[in-house]
Amino acid sequence: MNTMQAVIICGGIGARMGELTASKPKSLLSFEGQSILSHILDRFSIVFGGTGEVILTTGFGDDQINNTYGTSYKGLTLRYAHDDRQLGTRNRLLLARDMISGPFLFLAGDIICEPRLLCELVESHHQQSGTIATIGLAVDHT
């Protein structure tokens, strides 16, 4: 069985967030005492049992993310795919394609999910059905 992988988009400018993201990417904004990305990585460490690989696709603020997290976090191996261009979600996934070796989770670096939900995604969509990717989308009904 391949090591579980996750691809997290972390390179957004956060233009609608104004001064909050003028000097740092959204994923490094603080929430309840730690960055949003730390919350996400904590959950992946739980879900992946302290092993696994997370590919962080970076753009704006990549040096801050890399300097903060380095190559490992609570047992997870961290790898980076960087591009300064802001070409959207599709491009961020394409950046990581050569690093993906099997089933993976793909999500934005500014969305915090509960470990139980992530476990259910991993178990039901990857291990049981044999799918190669699970993507969560939020729908704006306004």
Side-chain angles (χ1 to χ4, degrees):
M1 182 175 160
N2 290 334
T3 299
M4 281 301 302
Q5 290 182 297
V7 177
I8 303 175
I9 304 170
C10 298
I13 294 173
R16 293 176 293 218
M17 301 200 68
E19 290 299 315
L20 287 173
T21 56
S23 62
K24 70 170 77 173
K26 289 188 294 184
S27 59
L28 291 184
L29 291 177
S30 182
F31 175 73
E32 293 188 352
Q34 64 181 21
S35 73
I36 294 170
L37 185 55
S38 290
H39 284 283
I40 294 168
L41 292 173
D42 286 345
R43 283 150 174 81
F44 276 112
S45 182
I46 292 167
V47 170
F48 293 170
T51 63
E53 181 177 74
V54 176
I55 302 164
L56 304 172
T57 65
T58 61
F60 172 71
D62 69 301
D63 55 336
Q64 294 174 56
I65 294 169
N66 198 319
N67 290 338
T68 300
Y69 296 99
T71 58
S72 66
Y73 183 90
K74 295 186 179 180
L76 299 172
T77 299
L78 302 181
R79 295 175 69 192
Y80 296 85
H82 173 74
D83 191 343
D84 283 324
R85 300 172 298 167
Q86 296 295 316
L87 300 176
T89 302
R90 178 184 173 272
N91 183 62
R92 294 291 178 213
L93 183 55
L94 289 174
L95 284 174
R97 72 177 167 206
D98 292 335
M99 297 180 193
I100 298 168
S101 61
F104 68 99
L105 294 170
F106 179 62
L107 72 151
D110 58 356
I111 298 173
I112 301 172
C113 296
E114 287 303 313
R116 182 184 51 76
L117 173 61
L118 294 176
C119 285
E120 290 172 6
L121 287 172
V122 170
E123 290 175 14
S124 67
H125 293 290
H126 291 237
Q127 295 173 350
Q128 293 176 5
S129 67
T131 58
I132 62 168
T134 300
I135 300 173
L137 302 173
V139 178
D140 185 358
H141 293 287
T142 58

